Amino acid sequence: MSLSRAPRRSRSTSGRAILLTAVTLAGALTLTACGDADGGSKSSGSAGGNYVTGSSGIATVAKADRTAAPQLDGETVDGGTLDTTTLKGKVVVLNVWGSWCPPCRAEAPSFAKVAKELEAAGQPVAFVGINTRDNTKQNAASFEETYGITYPSLFDPNGKLMLRFPKGTLNPNAIPSTIVLDKDGKIASRTLAAVSEKKLRSMIDPLLAEK
């Protein structure tokens, strides 16, 4: 009798352990995002009620309701330094990425192309990457070389820069995330999924047209 009961207890314990592991893994994947390109929610509003998320997955903030982005500064992947507060007067495109993230690799050609086209056209736009969860700069630098990324990326292996965004604003709380700042350095739009060239343009062009 004791022999028949022992396997049942073992199977029950094992089942609970497997379930716990699955739940933990699901939570980790949610935090790191790496979702499908062009995904998005059709819900609107926020905790603060100051932004609206469209069916494209892009959240936008009316000009009068925007809040200032935090200072993002530090060492870049290529060994330089960068401070985003010096970029006021330009539309600033912030892209959070990691070389290990498949959706980041999928969207990289779009970022490289749009950045080069806008620069060639003399548009007041600055692209800034935030490289996170890469243990070495070498991996990040190889990613930039592979995909032709020529704009600078802040090296943020522990995600500390992402935590500088105030609660209740459009935070870069997934990887990849893209946040676009208006010419006054205020948060204007965000998406938490990989973007296409068309989607990226739809975030930038309205801000270039603002007076």
Side-chain angles (χ1 to χ4, degrees):
M1 293 295 290
S2 60
L3 292 176
S4 62
R5 286 196 297 271
R8 285 198 293 271
R9 286 197 299 270
S10 177
R11 285 195 296 269
S12 176
T13 301
S14 176
R16 286 196 298 270
I18 292 171
L19 178 61
L20 179 60
T21 301
V23 171
T24 302
L25 178 60
L29 290 174
T30 299
L31 289 174
T32 56
C34 271
D36 294 334
D38 292 326
S41 169
K42 296 185 179 180
S43 63
S44 64
S46 71
N50 66 341
Y51 67 82
V52 175
T53 304
S55 58
S56 65
I58 298 174
T60 57
V61 187
K63 188 172 184 179
D65 296 328
R66 294 172 190 164
T67 57
Q71 179 180 16
L72 303 171
D73 61 332
E75 191 172 355
T76 57
V77 168
D78 61 6
T81 58
L82 176 66
D83 183 344
T84 57
T85 60
T86 66
L87 300 175
K88 283 187 178 181
K90 296 182 178 182
V91 173
V92 179
V93 182
L94 302 171
N95 178 239
V96 181
W97 62 276
S99 67
W100 47 268
C101 169
C104 300
R105 294 194 288 269
E107 70 177 2
S110 294
F111 275 91
K113 181 180 179 183
V114 174
K116 290 173 183 176
E117 288 177 350
L118 291 173
E119 181 181 12
Q123 294 288 351
V125 181
F127 281 71
V128 176
I130 301 177
N131 171 253
T132 190
R133 299 188 188 177
D134 271 313
N135 294 327
T136 68
K137 289 182 179 179
Q138 183 178 358
N139 290 340
S142 295
F143 178 98
E144 291 182 331
E145 183 178 358
T146 297
Y147 293 103
I149 302 296
T150 56
Y151 53 83
S153 286
L154 289 162
F155 185 59
D156 185 32
N158 298 319
K160 292 180 178 179
L161 293 178
M162 298 168 68
L163 298 177
R164 291 186 184 181
F165 284 78
K167 292 181 179 180
T169 63
L170 293 174
N171 297 291
N173 54 13
I175 304 168
S177 291
T178 298
I179 292 179
V180 183
L181 312 182
D182 65 20
K183 296 173 186 176
D184 295 321
K186 295 182 177 181
I187 302 169
S189 62
R190 179 197 68 181
T191 182
L192 300 177
V195 298
S196 62
E197 179 183 348
K198 179 179 179 180
K199 192 171 181 179
L200 184 55
R201 286 276 191 173
S202 76
M203 299 175 73
I204 299 170
D205 291 346
L207 298 178
L208 285 174
E210 286 185 351
K211 302 299 183 182

PDB file of all heavy atoms in Angstrom, residues 20-60:
ATOM      1  N   LEU A  20       4.469  25.551 -12.049  1.00  0.00           N
ATOM      2  CA  LEU A  20       5.125  26.747 -11.537  1.00  0.00           C
ATOM      3  C   LEU A  20       6.184  27.236 -12.504  1.00  0.00           C
ATOM      4  O   LEU A  20       6.307  28.425 -12.774  1.00  0.00           O
ATOM      5  CB  LEU A  20       5.749  26.464 -10.167  1.00  0.00           C
ATOM      6  CG  LEU A  20       6.496  27.644  -9.504  1.00  0.00           C
ATOM      7  CD1 LEU A  20       5.539  28.806  -9.291  1.00  0.00           C
ATOM      8  CD2 LEU A  20       7.096  27.204  -8.175  1.00  0.00           C
ATOM      9  N   THR A  21       6.947  26.294 -13.060  1.00  0.00           N
ATOM     10  CA  THR A  21       7.985  26.662 -14.027  1.00  0.00           C
ATOM     11  C   THR A  21       7.372  27.297 -15.255  1.00  0.00           C
ATOM     12  O   THR A  21       7.870  28.294 -15.779  1.00  0.00           O
ATOM     13  CB  THR A  21       8.800  25.423 -14.430  1.00  0.00           C
ATOM     14  OG1 THR A  21       9.401  24.871 -13.262  1.00  0.00           O
ATOM     15  CG2 THR A  21       9.884  25.800 -15.443  1.00  0.00           C
ATOM     16  N   ALA A  22       6.265  26.755 -15.739  1.00  0.00           N
ATOM     17  CA  ALA A  22       5.605  27.287 -16.923  1.00  0.00           C
ATOM     18  C   ALA A  22       5.079  28.691 -16.687  1.00  0.00           C
ATOM     19  O   ALA A  22       5.212  29.577 -17.530  1.00  0.00           O
ATOM     20  CB  ALA A  22       4.442  26.359 -17.337  1.00  0.00           C
ATOM     21  N   VAL A  23       4.487  28.916 -15.499  1.00  0.00           N
ATOM     22  CA  VAL A  23       3.970  30.242 -15.172  1.00  0.00           C
ATOM     23  C   VAL A  23       5.097  31.256 -15.081  1.00  0.00           C
ATOM     24  O   VAL A  23       5.004  32.373 -15.577  1.00  0.00           O
ATOM     25  CB  VAL A  23       3.172  30.193 -13.848  1.00  0.00           C
ATOM     26  CG1 VAL A  23       2.830  31.607 -13.379  1.00  0.00           C
ATOM     27  CG2 VAL A  23       1.908  29.375 -14.021  1.00  0.00           C
ATOM     28  N   THR A  24       6.198  30.847 -14.435  1.00  0.00           N
ATOM     29  CA  THR A  24       7.348  31.739 -14.307  1.00  0.00           C
ATOM     30  C   THR A  24       7.912  32.109 -15.667  1.00  0.00           C
ATOM     31  O   THR A  24       8.232  33.259 -15.943  1.00  0.00           O
ATOM     32  CB  THR A  24       8.450  31.073 -13.461  1.00  0.00           C
ATOM     33  OG1 THR A  24       7.905  30.750 -12.182  1.00  0.00           O
ATOM     34  CG2 THR A  24       9.637  32.006 -13.277  1.00  0.00           C
ATOM     35  N   LEU A  25       8.045  31.118 -16.554  1.00  0.00           N
ATOM     36  CA  LEU A  25       8.562  31.349 -17.886  1.00  0.00           C
ATOM     37  C   LEU A  25       7.662  32.277 -18.669  1.00  0.00           C
ATOM     38  O   LEU A  25       8.124  33.192 -19.352  1.00  0.00           O
ATOM     39  CB  LEU A  25       8.722  30.017 -18.619  1.00  0.00           C
ATOM     40  CG  LEU A  25       9.231  30.101 -20.074  1.00  0.00           C
ATOM     41  CD1 LEU A  25      10.605  30.769 -20.104  1.00  0.00           C
ATOM     42  CD2 LEU A  25       9.290  28.713 -20.689  1.00  0.00           C
ATOM     43  N   ALA A  26       6.341  32.075 -18.562  1.00  0.00           N
ATOM     44  CA  ALA A  26       5.394  32.936 -19.274  1.00  0.00           C
ATOM     45  C   ALA A  26       5.519  34.369 -18.812  1.00  0.00           C
ATOM     46  O   ALA A  26       5.469  35.310 -19.606  1.00  0.00           O
ATOM     47  CB  ALA A  26       3.964  32.431 -19.056  1.00  0.00           C
ATOM     48  N   GLY A  27       5.700  34.557 -17.502  1.00  0.00           N
ATOM     49  CA  GLY A  27       5.862  35.908 -16.971  1.00  0.00           C
ATOM     50  C   GLY A  27       7.120  36.567 -17.497  1.00  0.00           C
ATOM     51  O   GLY A  27       7.119  37.747 -17.840  1.00  0.00           O
ATOM     52  N   ALA A  28       8.201  35.795 -17.580  1.00  0.00           N
ATOM     53  CA  ALA A  28       9.453  36.355 -18.075  1.00  0.00           C
ATOM     54  C   ALA A  28       9.338  36.774 -19.526  1.00  0.00           C
ATOM     55  O   ALA A  28       9.828  37.824 -19.933  1.00  0.00           O
ATOM     56  CB  ALA A  28      10.581  35.326 -17.923  1.00  0.00           C
ATOM     57  N   LEU A  29       8.645  35.964 -20.328  1.00  0.00           N
ATOM     58  CA  LEU A  29       8.469  36.303 -21.731  1.00  0.00           C
ATOM     59  C   LEU A  29       7.621  37.546 -21.895  1.00  0.00           C
ATOM     60  O   LEU A  29       7.839  38.356 -22.790  1.00  0.00           O
ATOM     61  CB  LEU A  29       7.827  35.120 -22.477  1.00  0.00           C
ATOM     62  CG  LEU A  29       8.717  33.894 -22.646  1.00  0.00           C
ATOM     63  CD1 LEU A  29       7.926  32.751 -23.269  1.00  0.00           C
ATOM     64  CD2 LEU A  29       9.931  34.226 -23.515  1.00  0.00           C
ATOM     65  N   THR A  30       6.624  37.716 -21.014  1.00  0.00           N
ATOM     66  CA  THR A  30       5.797  38.911 -21.087  1.00  0.00           C
ATOM     67  C   THR A  30       6.617  40.147 -20.803  1.00  0.00           C
ATOM     68  O   THR A  30       6.489  41.180 -21.461  1.00  0.00           O
ATOM     69  CB  THR A  30       4.643  38.811 -20.069  1.00  0.00           C
ATOM     70  OG1 THR A  30       3.846  37.676 -20.380  1.00  0.00           O
ATOM     71  CG2 THR A  30       3.769  40.060 -20.117  1.00  0.00           C
ATOM     72  N   LEU A  31       7.509  40.088 -19.827  1.00  0.00           N
ATOM     73  CA  LEU A  31       8.317  41.239 -19.451  1.00  0.00           C
ATOM     74  C   LEU A  31       9.301  41.613 -20.550  1.00  0.00           C
ATOM     75  O   LEU A  31       9.559  42.790 -20.783  1.00  0.00           O
ATOM     76  CB  LEU A  31       9.074  40.951 -18.144  1.00  0.00           C
ATOM     77  CG  LEU A  31       8.221  40.900 -16.881  1.00  0.00           C
ATOM     78  CD1 LEU A  31       9.071  40.459 -15.697  1.00  0.00           C
ATOM     79  CD2 LEU A  31       7.586  42.256 -16.594  1.00  0.00           C
ATOM     80  N   THR A  32       9.847  40.637 -21.225  1.00  0.00           N
ATOM     81  CA  THR A  32      10.817  40.946 -22.264  1.00  0.00           C
ATOM     82  C   THR A  32      10.157  41.175 -23.607  1.00  0.00           C
ATOM     83  O   THR A  32      10.807  41.638 -24.541  1.00  0.00           O
ATOM     84  CB  THR A  32      11.830  39.791 -22.405  1.00  0.00           C
ATOM     85  OG1 THR A  32      11.135  38.577 -22.665  1.00  0.00           O
ATOM     86  CG2 THR A  32      12.655  39.625 -21.150  1.00  0.00           C
ATOM     87  N   ALA A  33       8.879  40.914 -23.709  1.00  0.00           N
ATOM     88  CA  ALA A  33       8.104  41.135 -24.928  1.00  0.00           C
ATOM     89  C   ALA A  33       8.624  40.283 -26.069  1.00  0.00           C
ATOM     90  O   ALA A  33       8.356  39.113 -26.130  1.00  0.00           O
ATOM     91  CB  ALA A  33       8.081  42.595 -25.304  1.00  0.00           C
ATOM     92  N   CYS A  34       9.422  40.870 -26.985  1.00  0.00           N
ATOM     93  CA  CYS A  34       9.841  40.162 -28.189  1.00  0.00           C
ATOM     94  C   CYS A  34       8.623  39.560 -28.863  1.00  0.00           C
ATOM     95  O   CYS A  34       8.573  38.367 -29.158  1.00  0.00           O
ATOM     96  CB  CYS A  34      10.895  39.093 -27.874  1.00  0.00           C
ATOM     97  SG  CYS A  34      12.576  39.726 -27.929  1.00  0.00           S
ATOM     98  N   GLY A  35       7.601  40.393 -29.085  1.00  0.00           N
ATOM     99  CA  GLY A  35       6.352  39.939 -29.697  1.00  0.00           C
ATOM    100  C   GLY A  35       6.413  40.039 -31.207  1.00  0.00           C
ATOM    101  O   GLY A  35       7.414  40.423 -31.795  1.00  0.00           O
ATOM    102  N   ASP A  36       5.294  39.708 -31.859  1.00  0.00           N
ATOM    103  CA  ASP A  36       5.223  39.746 -33.309  1.00  0.00           C
ATOM    104  C   ASP A  36       5.197  41.176 -33.812  1.00  0.00           C
ATOM    105  O   ASP A  36       4.655  42.071 -33.184  1.00  0.00           O
ATOM    106  CB  ASP A  36       3.951  39.024 -33.792  1.00  0.00           C
ATOM    107  CG  ASP A  36       4.007  37.540 -33.484  1.00  0.00           C
ATOM    108  OD1 ASP A  36       5.123  37.019 -33.391  1.00  0.00           O
ATOM    109  OD2 ASP A  36       2.940  36.929 -33.337  1.00  0.00           O
ATOM    110  N   ALA A  37       5.757  41.390 -34.997  1.00  0.00           N
ATOM    111  CA  ALA A  37       5.754  42.718 -35.591  1.00  0.00           C
ATOM    112  C   ALA A  37       4.330  43.155 -35.899  1.00  0.00           C
ATOM    113  O   ALA A  37       3.470  42.347 -36.258  1.00  0.00           O
ATOM    114  CB  ALA A  37       6.565  42.712 -36.897  1.00  0.00           C
ATOM    115  N   ASP A  38       4.108  44.460 -35.760  1.00  0.00           N
ATOM    116  CA  ASP A  38       2.836  45.090 -36.054  1.00  0.00           C
ATOM    117  C   ASP A  38       1.701  44.601 -35.180  1.00  0.00           C
ATOM    118  O   ASP A  38       0.528  44.750 -35.511  1.00  0.00           O
ATOM    119  CB  ASP A  38       2.437  44.903 -37.528  1.00  0.00           C
ATOM    120  CG  ASP A  38       3.364  45.683 -38.435  1.00  0.00           C
ATOM    121  OD1 ASP A  38       3.832  46.760 -38.050  1.00  0.00           O
ATOM    122  OD2 ASP A  38       3.622  45.198 -39.541  1.00  0.00           O
ATOM    123  N   GLY A  39       2.027  44.027 -34.019  1.00  0.00           N
ATOM    124  CA  GLY A  39       0.979  43.694 -33.081  1.00  0.00           C
ATOM    125  C   GLY A  39       0.506  44.949 -32.400  1.00  0.00           C
ATOM    126  O   GLY A  39       1.121  45.991 -32.441  1.00  0.00           O
ATOM    127  N   GLY A  40      -0.622  44.880 -31.727  1.00  0.00           N
ATOM    128  CA  GLY A  40      -1.094  46.067 -31.038  1.00  0.00           C
ATOM    129  C   GLY A  40      -2.436  45.837 -30.398  1.00  0.00           C
ATOM    130  O   GLY A  40      -3.144  44.894 -30.720  1.00  0.00           O
ATOM    131  N   SER A  41      -2.780  46.725 -29.497  1.00  0.00           N
ATOM    132  CA  SER A  41      -4.037  46.631 -28.790  1.00  0.00           C
ATOM    133  C   SER A  41      -5.025  47.652 -29.326  1.00  0.00           C
ATOM    134  O   SER A  41      -4.643  48.744 -29.733  1.00  0.00           O
ATOM    135  CB  SER A  41      -3.800  46.883 -27.292  1.00  0.00           C
ATOM    136  OG  SER A  41      -5.013  47.041 -26.617  1.00  0.00           O
ATOM    137  N   LYS A  42      -6.298  47.299 -29.318  1.00  0.00           N
ATOM    138  CA  LYS A  42      -7.326  48.217 -29.750  1.00  0.00           C
ATOM    139  C   LYS A  42      -7.909  49.010 -28.595  1.00  0.00           C
ATOM    140  O   LYS A  42      -8.854  49.753 -28.760  1.00  0.00           O
ATOM    141  CB  LYS A  42      -8.450  47.451 -30.470  1.00  0.00           C
ATOM    142  CG  LYS A  42      -7.982  46.775 -31.760  1.00  0.00           C
ATOM    143  CD  LYS A  42      -9.138  46.138 -32.486  1.00  0.00           C
ATOM    144  CE  LYS A  42      -8.665  45.492 -33.791  1.00  0.00           C
ATOM    145  NZ  LYS A  42      -9.760  44.867 -34.540  1.00  0.00           N
ATOM    146  N   SER A  43      -7.342  48.838 -27.410  1.00  0.00           N
ATOM    147  CA  SER A  43      -7.825  49.571 -26.251  1.00  0.00           C
ATOM    148  C   SER A  43      -7.342  51.000 -26.306  1.00  0.00           C
ATOM    149  O   SER A  43      -6.392  51.329 -27.006  1.00  0.00           O
ATOM    150  CB  SER A  43      -7.335  48.905 -24.963  1.00  0.00           C
ATOM    151  OG  SER A  43      -5.931  48.956 -24.895  1.00  0.00           O
ATOM    152  N   SER A  44      -7.991  51.872 -25.549  1.00  0.00           N
ATOM    153  CA  SER A  44      -7.588  53.257 -25.509  1.00  0.00           C
ATOM    154  C   SER A  44      -7.517  53.713 -24.077  1.00  0.00           C
ATOM    155  O   SER A  44      -8.095  53.126 -23.173  1.00  0.00           O
ATOM    156  CB  SER A  44      -8.585  54.132 -26.282  1.00  0.00           C
ATOM    157  OG  SER A  44      -9.851  54.092 -25.666  1.00  0.00           O
ATOM    158  N   GLY A  45      -6.767  54.797 -23.876  1.00  0.00           N
ATOM    159  CA  GLY A  45      -6.655  55.366 -22.542  1.00  0.00           C
ATOM    160  C   GLY A  45      -5.460  54.805 -21.806  1.00  0.00           C
ATOM    161  O   GLY A  45      -4.710  53.988 -22.307  1.00  0.00           O
ATOM    162  N   SER A  46      -5.264  55.266 -20.558  1.00  0.00           N
ATOM    163  CA  SER A  46      -4.146  54.839 -19.732  1.00  0.00           C
ATOM    164  C   SER A  46      -4.488  55.083 -18.295  1.00  0.00           C
ATOM    165  O   SER A  46      -5.548  55.581 -17.955  1.00  0.00           O
ATOM    166  CB  SER A  46      -2.898  55.631 -20.105  1.00  0.00           C
ATOM    167  OG  SER A  46      -3.025  56.969 -19.659  1.00  0.00           O
ATOM    168  N   ALA A  47      -3.561  54.740 -17.407  1.00  0.00           N
ATOM    169  CA  ALA A  47      -3.777  54.999 -15.994  1.00  0.00           C
ATOM    170  C   ALA A  47      -3.970  56.482 -15.753  1.00  0.00           C
ATOM    171  O   ALA A  47      -4.752  56.898 -14.907  1.00  0.00           O
ATOM    172  CB  ALA A  47      -2.576  54.475 -15.199  1.00  0.00           C
ATOM    173  N   GLY A  48      -3.248  57.301 -16.518  1.00  0.00           N
ATOM    174  CA  GLY A  48      -3.372  58.740 -16.381  1.00  0.00           C
ATOM    175  C   GLY A  48      -4.379  59.333 -17.333  1.00  0.00           C
ATOM    176  O   GLY A  48      -4.673  60.524 -17.280  1.00  0.00           O
ATOM    177  N   GLY A  49      -4.893  58.520 -18.271  1.00  0.00           N
ATOM    178  CA  GLY A  49      -5.889  58.995 -19.210  1.00  0.00           C
ATOM    179  C   GLY A  49      -5.342  59.975 -20.230  1.00  0.00           C
ATOM    180  O   GLY A  49      -6.104  60.723 -20.834  1.00  0.00           O
ATOM    181  N   ASN A  50      -4.029  59.981 -20.464  1.00  0.00           N
ATOM    182  CA  ASN A  50      -3.472  61.002 -21.345  1.00  0.00           C
ATOM    183  C   ASN A  50      -2.931  60.460 -22.657  1.00  0.00           C
ATOM    184  O   ASN A  50      -2.293  61.181 -23.397  1.00  0.00           O
ATOM    185  CB  ASN A  50      -2.365  61.773 -20.617  1.00  0.00           C
ATOM    186  CG  ASN A  50      -1.162  60.897 -20.302  1.00  0.00           C
ATOM    187  OD1 ASN A  50      -1.263  59.679 -20.308  1.00  0.00           O
ATOM    188  ND2 ASN A  50      -0.029  61.517 -20.031  1.00  0.00           N
ATOM    189  N   TYR A  51      -3.145  59.181 -22.962  1.00  0.00           N
ATOM    190  CA  TYR A  51      -2.746  58.683 -24.273  1.00  0.00           C
ATOM    191  C   TYR A  51      -3.756  57.667 -24.788  1.00  0.00           C
ATOM    192  O   TYR A  51      -4.540  57.113 -24.029  1.00  0.00           O
ATOM    193  CB  TYR A  51      -1.333  58.102 -24.256  1.00  0.00           C
ATOM    194  CG  TYR A  51      -1.113  56.839 -23.462  1.00  0.00           C
ATOM    195  CD1 TYR A  51      -1.423  55.594 -23.981  1.00  0.00           C
ATOM    196  CD2 TYR A  51      -0.531  56.888 -22.193  1.00  0.00           C
ATOM    197  CE1 TYR A  51      -1.180  54.426 -23.272  1.00  0.00           C
ATOM    198  CE2 TYR A  51      -0.285  55.734 -21.474  1.00  0.00           C
ATOM    199  CZ  TYR A  51      -0.611  54.511 -22.022  1.00  0.00           C
ATOM    200  OH  TYR A  51      -0.370  53.366 -21.296  1.00  0.00           O
ATOM    201  N   VAL A  52      -3.727  57.473 -26.090  1.00  0.00           N
ATOM    202  CA  VAL A  52      -4.661  56.565 -26.745  1.00  0.00           C
ATOM    203  C   VAL A  52      -3.877  55.584 -27.590  1.00  0.00           C
ATOM    204  O   VAL A  52      -2.972  55.972 -28.337  1.00  0.00           O
ATOM    205  CB  VAL A  52      -5.660  57.340 -27.632  1.00  0.00           C
ATOM    206  CG1 VAL A  52      -6.550  56.369 -28.400  1.00  0.00           C
ATOM    207  CG2 VAL A  52      -6.505  58.285 -26.794  1.00  0.00           C
ATOM    208  N   THR A  53      -4.185  54.303 -27.468  1.00  0.00           N
ATOM    209  CA  THR A  53      -3.537  53.264 -28.259  1.00  0.00           C
ATOM    210  C   THR A  53      -4.465  52.831 -29.385  1.00  0.00           C
ATOM    211  O   THR A  53      -5.576  52.377 -29.137  1.00  0.00           O
ATOM    212  CB  THR A  53      -3.181  52.044 -27.398  1.00  0.00           C
ATOM    213  OG1 THR A  53      -2.363  52.467 -26.308  1.00  0.00           O
ATOM    214  CG2 THR A  53      -2.434  51.007 -28.225  1.00  0.00           C
ATOM    215  N   GLY A  54      -4.023  52.991 -30.611  1.00  0.00           N
ATOM    216  CA  GLY A  54      -4.823  52.613 -31.763  1.00  0.00           C
ATOM    217  C   GLY A  54      -4.682  51.148 -32.107  1.00  0.00           C
ATOM    218  O   GLY A  54      -3.915  50.411 -31.490  1.00  0.00           O
ATOM    219  N   SER A  55      -5.406  50.732 -33.127  1.00  0.00           N
ATOM    220  CA  SER A  55      -5.391  49.329 -33.536  1.00  0.00           C
ATOM    221  C   SER A  55      -4.027  48.913 -34.078  1.00  0.00           C
ATOM    222  O   SER A  55      -3.711  47.728 -34.148  1.00  0.00           O
ATOM    223  CB  SER A  55      -6.467  49.082 -34.598  1.00  0.00           C
ATOM    224  OG  SER A  55      -6.257  49.913 -35.722  1.00  0.00           O
ATOM    225  N   SER A  56      -3.211  49.881 -34.466  1.00  0.00           N
ATOM    226  CA  SER A  56      -1.861  49.580 -34.967  1.00  0.00           C
ATOM    227  C   SER A  56      -0.901  49.235 -33.844  1.00  0.00           C
ATOM    228  O   SER A  56       0.222  48.793 -34.085  1.00  0.00           O
ATOM    229  CB  SER A  56      -1.308  50.788 -35.730  1.00  0.00           C
ATOM    230  OG  SER A  56      -1.128  51.879 -34.849  1.00  0.00           O
ATOM    231  N   GLY A  57      -1.326  49.474 -32.584  1.00  0.00           N
ATOM    232  CA  GLY A  57      -0.449  49.249 -31.453  1.00  0.00           C
ATOM    233  C   GLY A  57       0.378  50.464 -31.091  1.00  0.00           C
ATOM    234  O   GLY A  57       1.181  50.420 -30.161  1.00  0.00           O
ATOM    235  N   ILE A  58       0.184  51.574 -31.807  1.00  0.00           N
ATOM    236  CA  ILE A  58       0.899  52.802 -31.516  1.00  0.00           C
ATOM    237  C   ILE A  58       0.077  53.649 -30.553  1.00  0.00           C
ATOM    238  O   ILE A  58      -1.079  53.957 -30.815  1.00  0.00           O
ATOM    239  CB  ILE A  58       1.184  53.613 -32.796  1.00  0.00           C
ATOM    240  CG1 ILE A  58       2.069  52.808 -33.753  1.00  0.00           C
ATOM    241  CG2 ILE A  58       1.853  54.949 -32.451  1.00  0.00           C
ATOM    242  CD1 ILE A  58       2.264  53.474 -35.096  1.00  0.00           C
ATOM    243  N   ALA A  59       0.685  53.996 -29.428  1.00  0.00           N
ATOM    244  CA  ALA A  59       0.051  54.890 -28.461  1.00  0.00           C
ATOM    245  C   ALA A  59       0.525  56.312 -28.724  1.00  0.00           C
ATOM    246  O   ALA A  59       1.719  56.543 -28.911  1.00  0.00           O
ATOM    247  CB  ALA A  59       0.403  54.470 -27.041  1.00  0.00           C
ATOM    248  N   THR A  60      -0.400  57.267 -28.744  1.00  0.00           N
ATOM    249  CA  THR A  60      -0.054  58.650 -29.027  1.00  0.00           C
ATOM    250  C   THR A  60      -0.593  59.562 -27.941  1.00  0.00           C
ATOM    251  O   THR A  60      -1.599  59.270 -27.298  1.00  0.00           O
ATOM    252  CB  THR A  60      -0.611  59.100 -30.386  1.00  0.00           C
ATOM    253  OG1 THR A  60      -2.038  58.913 -30.386  1.00  0.00           O
ATOM    254  CG2 THR A  60      -0.010  58.290 -31.525  1.00  0.00           C
TER     255      THR A  60
END
